[in-house]
Amino acid sequence: MRAQAQPQATDPILLMKGITKVYPNGLVANSNVTFEVRKGEIHALVGENGAGKTTLMKVLFGLEKPDEGSIFIKGEEVRISSPNDAIRYGVGMVHQHFMLAPSLTVAENIVLGAEPRKGIWFDRKRAEQVCKELSEKYGLHAEPAAKIKDVPVGIRQRVEILKALMRGSDILVLDEPTAVLTPQETDELFEALKSLKAMGHTIIFISHKLREVKELSDRVTVLRSGKVIGTRDTDQVTVEEISRMMVGRDVVLKPMRPKATGTRGEVRLLAKNLNLVQDGTQVLKDVTLQVRAGEILGIAGVEGNGQVELAEVITGLSPCDSGEIWVCGQDATGKSPGEIRDMGLSHIPQDRMIFGVASNASISENLISTRYDKRPVSNGFSLDIKAVAKLGQDLISRFGIKASSAQQAVGTLSGGNIQKVVIAREFSTEPKVIIANQPTRGIDIGATESVHKYLVDATESGTAVLLVSADLTEVMSLSNRLIVMYEGQVVAYFDEVQGLEEEEIGLYMLGLKRQEPDEVTASMMGRPVE
């Protein structure tokens, strides 16, 4: 029987004590971790990739079983062996990748698994009423009858939160909740979370964005290498101190934008009037852009507005219906990915596990996957095993990949080190153009710092970079020039990024403002195209 005594304000509503989790491959994900959260606080949980944050929260939500340790909720020791157990004890979790059914409505998703009935039939009217009442109570507006596939990312996140709240969550775990939000949507989310806190809910906030951690949280716990480094009152610690606790060294957090030059280099990438229709929807509409040597052109936009399709068309992964693509003065329209690579283009794909690496292959095998038929690793007929081994070791050292050897399977590395393998492969061929699609997604502050440095260093040697990122701060801190995409179109172009406000860009990302299409193209193509 659960204890009835209510905790005092300073008593922990959640205590995870001595949690240890060792995976079958010997990886120690959590080592004697004690994590304490007070009732009615917003508690940030931060750390590098592989630090143990996700595993600890999986243990709390019943997705992983700890080898050692105990969990106490409201002073009572509990055993959580499944998400149903976690929900029963008042724990809800909103994952970074939403767990929603796109074809169902907002209301249907919220009540899924606990559907109201009228006899044997689903009571749609009651479901929509439940959705409306929850939205009003918690200040998280979502149109009950709208289908998930038709609503923006910010609304989908609200639906996930409302789902958890409907099931009685007192403790709400949010995993990277602002990763794909505009500044306006982030502000709205933070206001909602503060309201939840005022109502007595407890929130565990997992984020790599330390400035948001400072703004939102009451306390912060830092994990490193599976161990707790410390817990601090957030207002008593700086962003720099948090990052130092996470990484174990000082981290450069300032913008790393390439040096502006009076005369920009030659045009390395040119896309003209690209159009693409998929499943009856026009996902690219007359997209025109150009990137010159030695600069980064950033693309800002809420995910799902054509950025992925644009990158796939430029890199040859998907054909366009009309338009032209030129790489280093060569017509790349309709060419294969291999042919476009031979023109001097490298590609960091948005999903490293699906498109970036072969997880069961070794680091060396992944590093040569785009040059296995070229010298020095091949003589045209067979691989030079010594050359392959040397290349692997050289790139592991040069790009700081943490691995036991070049023969280690890529899938056994941390997310940040997998991304470094992709970066090492793509940068080491001395490309003239780099398409960097979400290059730091899901990686920690230390690995992010490294990726940013590689991108900037590449431009200083004359490489042209097209940067696609859902992280607006990243786009604005790295780019020389910037475009904004909305519903498959370029709706804004800025020839100078310094001085722009994130809130202004957010208005274009949400479709609330747009520049005239002809003016956008004229401004972007104003310089002579070489």
Side-chain angles (χ1 to χ4, degrees):
M1 188 171 179
R2 296 179 64 182
Q4 299 300 312
Q6 294 299 310
Q8 299 299 313
T10 56
D11 289 342
I13 189 173
L14 168 68
L15 174 62
M16 302 181 74
K17 188 174 182 180
I19 301 295
T20 294
K21 174 65 181 178
V22 182
Y23 286 106
N25 63 2
L27 174 66
V28 181
N30 292 140
S31 177
N32 194 30
V33 170
T34 293
F35 179 56
E36 170 250 300
V37 182
R38 297 171 185 161
K39 178 177 173 58
E41 75 169 342
I42 299 177
H43 195 121
L45 182 62
V46 302
E48 293 190 274
N49 282 98
K53 308 184 303 295
T54 299
T55 298
L56 188 65
M57 290 300 99
K58 283 183 175 180
V59 168
L60 175 61
F61 200 59
L63 296 171
E64 294 284 0
K65 182 179 179 181
D67 298 297
E68 297 177 15
S70 305
I71 300 175
F72 297 83
I73 294 179
K74 299 178 182 177
E76 175 191 4
E77 184 173 0
V78 299
R79 296 190 180 278
I80 300 177
S81 57
S82 72
N84 284 336
D85 288 340
I87 292 168
R88 185 159 53 90
Y89 287 114
V91 178
M93 189 167 181
V94 177
H95 301 270
Q96 183 175 355
H97 302 290
F98 302 145
M99 314 289 281
L100 299 172
S103 61
L104 299 184
T105 67
V106 165
E108 288 167 343
N109 271 277
I110 288 174
V111 302
L112 193 62
E115 299 90 343
R117 298 279 177 180
K118 183 181 289 186
I120 63 172
W121 307 106
F122 171 56
D123 190 341
R124 185 179 305 279
K125 185 176 180 180
R126 177 58 187 153
E128 292 184 354
Q129 183 62 31
V130 167
C131 176
K132 182 180 179 182
E133 290 172 358
L134 285 169
S135 296
E136 291 175 352
K137 178 179 179 179
Y138 295 110
L140 293 163
H141 175 72
E143 178 56 44
K147 288 193 174 182
I148 290 295
K149 65 181 181 180
D150 297 327
V151 301
V153 172
I155 299 299
R156 296 180 196 183
Q157 187 176 72
R158 292 181 190 180
V159 174
E160 285 280 24
I161 295 172
L162 289 170
K163 264 176 58 179
L165 293 171
M166 195 207 78
R167 286 157 178 76
S169 296
D170 299 313
I171 303 168
L172 192 61
V173 181
L174 300 178
D175 188 3
E176 297 288 349
T178 66
V180 295
L181 300 185
T182 65
Q184 288 84 353
E185 290 171 325
T186 297
D187 289 343
E188 290 173 2
L189 173 66
F190 282 10
E191 287 303 312
L193 295 181
K194 290 172 184 175
S195 294
L196 288 173
K197 171 187 167 182
M199 294 178 192
H201 291 273
T202 302
I203 297 163
I204 300 173
F205 179 74
I206 303 173
S207 179
H208 285 124
K209 298 181 179 181
L210 298 187
R211 299 192 187 282
E212 293 182 355
V213 167
K214 278 285 292 178
E215 177 185 346
L216 182 67
S217 67
D218 300 296
R219 293 195 298 155
V220 55
T221 293
V222 179
L223 294 181
R224 188 168 80 226
S225 300
K227 298 179 180 180
V228 174
I229 298 302
T231 297
R232 302 282 189 273
D233 289 338
T234 310
D235 61 2
Q236 299 298 312
V237 65
T238 67
V239 168
E240 289 74 17
E241 288 169 336
I242 297 172
S243 64
R244 193 178 303 120
M245 291 171 70
M246 288 170 56
V247 182
R249 61 177 174 80
D250 290 333
V251 178
V252 177
L253 298 172
K254 63 183 181 181
M256 298 176 66
R257 187 178 296 110
K259 296 174 183 176
T261 57
T263 304
R264 305 209 181 176
E266 65 181 1
V267 174
R268 291 281 180 82
L269 173 65
L270 173 63
K272 296 175 65 175
N273 303 117
L274 298 181
N275 288 279
L276 177 65
V277 177
Q278 291 182 343
D279 300 324
T281 301
Q282 189 163 6
V283 293
L284 292 179
K285 304 174 185 177
D286 289 319
V287 174
T288 294
L289 60 83
Q290 63 177 8
V291 192
R292 292 177 172 265
E295 73 168 357
I296 296 179
L297 174 67
I299 300 180
V302 177
E303 285 193 280
N305 281 278
Q307 306 96 309
V308 171
E309 292 80 4
L310 177 61
E312 290 180 348
V313 165
I314 290 173
T315 57
L317 293 173
S318 177
C320 60
D321 295 318
S322 63
E324 301 175 22
I325 302 164
W326 294 78
V327 175
C328 299
Q330 301 179 70
D331 188 356
T333 313
K335 296 291 193 295
S336 70
E339 290 173 321
I340 296 175
R341 279 186 175 276
D342 288 341
M343 295 176 185
L345 182 142
S346 284
H347 178 209
I348 303 168
Q350 67 154 347
D351 191 320
R352 56 181 169 266
M353 298 309 297
I354 295 177
F355 300 108
V357 297
S359 59
N360 292 327
S362 70
I363 295 172
S364 284
E365 289 168 334
N366 275 277
L367 290 172
I368 68 165
S369 60
T370 60
R371 65 184 100 178
Y372 63 88
D373 57 345
K374 297 178 177 64
R375 294 185 183 280
V377 299
S378 171
N379 60 15
F381 297 97
S382 62
L383 290 175
D384 183 331
I385 302 303
K386 289 184 178 179
V388 171
K390 183 177 186 304
L391 177 69
Q393 285 304 131
D394 287 349
L395 293 182
I396 284 175
S397 176
R398 177 180 162 192
F399 287 86
I401 301 167
K402 294 180 182 178
S404 57
S405 75
Q407 300 311 308
Q408 183 175 346
V410 163
T412 63
L413 301 176
S414 70
N417 282 294
I418 293 173
Q419 189 72 343
K420 285 183 180 180
V421 171
V422 177
I423 295 286
R425 182 186 64 219
E426 300 301 324
F427 280 64
S428 61
T429 57
E430 299 182 358
K432 296 179 180 178
V433 180
I434 295 174
I435 309 298
N437 193 352
Q438 313 294 349
T440 62
R441 167 165 290 167
I443 64 175
D444 56 67
I445 190 170
T448 294
E449 177 196 25
S450 297
V451 172
H452 287 178
K453 186 176 186 302
Y454 296 141
L455 288 169
V456 172
D457 287 350
T459 64
E460 292 179 356
S461 62
T463 303
V465 176
L466 180 65
L467 172 64
V468 182
S469 177
D471 184 341
L472 182 55
T473 301
E474 177 174 66
V475 173
M476 294 187 68
S477 65
L478 287 175
S479 304
N480 299 107
R481 297 185 296 128
L482 180 70
I483 63 175
V484 182
M485 291 189 68
Y486 178 73
E487 294 186 340
Q489 285 183 299
V490 178
V491 296
Y493 167 71
F494 301 94
D495 195 53
E496 178 57 61
V497 177
Q498 285 183 305
L500 289 177
E501 297 291 336
E502 289 191 4
E503 289 73 16
E504 179 185 1
I505 302 301
L507 295 174
Y508 290 100
M509 292 170 64
L510 292 169
L512 300 177
K513 287 181 68 175
R514 64 173 64 209
Q515 299 170 1
E516 289 296 326
D518 291 344
E519 293 179 8
V520 170
T521 302
S523 298
M524 189 183 310
M525 308 297 285
R527 301 180 183 86
V529 178
E530 299 174 10

